[in-house]
Amino acid sequence: VDFKPAPTNEQQAQDIPKRLSLTYSNGVSLVLYFLYIESGTDPGTQVLGLVDGNNNPKLAYYAFKQFVANTKGFESVVKKNSPGGALLYEYDIPGKKVYVAWASSAGNYDLSNIIGSQNVVVEEITMSDEDAKRQTTSSDQVPLSEVAVYIIV
């Protein structure tokens, strides 16, 4: 079997909100992360744990923790069609909406037709135990790139 190169720690962390959003938006109601501690010799899974073999949190651990905190209690996830090729997943949470969004081309995206004309908080994926970087911006100027962000309304 010819395995693709294993993802870097950063790639693994960046993929978490994307993969979970794609999965939930397709009607899956529960997702379990299949490998907590990385170990073994299978080249396809040996580096996919949330903690390393010494039980030290990896970047993915913090990204997973952030995903759970931002989407806790969601009732549904819907993929929204957005202009300019941005991918946008709307998490309906009682009292608020959270979006996971990214785009293949970096730039500012006008998401006001989906989110409404308002200020939003854009939160970057965190890769440490420190607080995530946040910025408030207008919904018609949301900075997106290949790395997913959380948009909190």
Side-chain angles (χ1 to χ4, degrees), residues 27-133:
V28 174
S29 60
L30 177 65
V31 175
L32 301 174
Y33 202 90
F34 80 101
L35 192 62
Y36 179 69
I37 299 175
E38 62 182 40
S39 61
T41 57
D42 180 354
T45 61
Q46 70 182 11
V47 297
L48 297 180
L50 294 176
V51 298
D52 65 21
N54 295 319
N55 213 29
N56 297 310
K58 294 175 52 184
L59 303 178
Y61 171 89
Y62 299 108
F64 187 78
K65 180 179 174 182
Q66 179 186 25
F67 177 86
V68 170
N70 280 338
T71 63
K72 183 176 182 178
F74 75 86
E75 295 176 348
S76 63
V77 181
V78 178
K79 181 179 179 184
K80 297 290 189 173
N81 293 323
S82 57
L87 294 170
L88 195 68
Y89 293 84
E90 178 184 86
Y91 286 78
D92 185 17
I93 302 166
K96 68 177 180 177
K97 292 206 184 293
V98 173
Y99 297 84
V100 173
W102 67 93
S104 57
S105 297
N108 290 331
Y109 286 77
D110 183 354
L111 303 178
S112 60
N113 62 332
I114 298 167
I115 298 174
S117 294
Q118 60 185 314
N119 283 338
V120 297
V121 175
V122 178
E123 182 179 289
E124 296 178 12
I125 294 174
T126 186
M127 294 196 204
S128 71
D129 209 13
E130 296 176 13
D131 290 337
K133 293 179 184 173

Side-chain angles (χ1 to χ4, degrees), residues 15-33:
D15 278 352
I16 285 177
K18 292 179 179 182
R19 291 182 186 275
L20 293 175
S21 294
L22 290 166
T23 302
Y24 283 128
S25 71
N26 281 308
V28 174
S29 60
L30 177 65
V31 175
L32 301 174
Y33 202 90

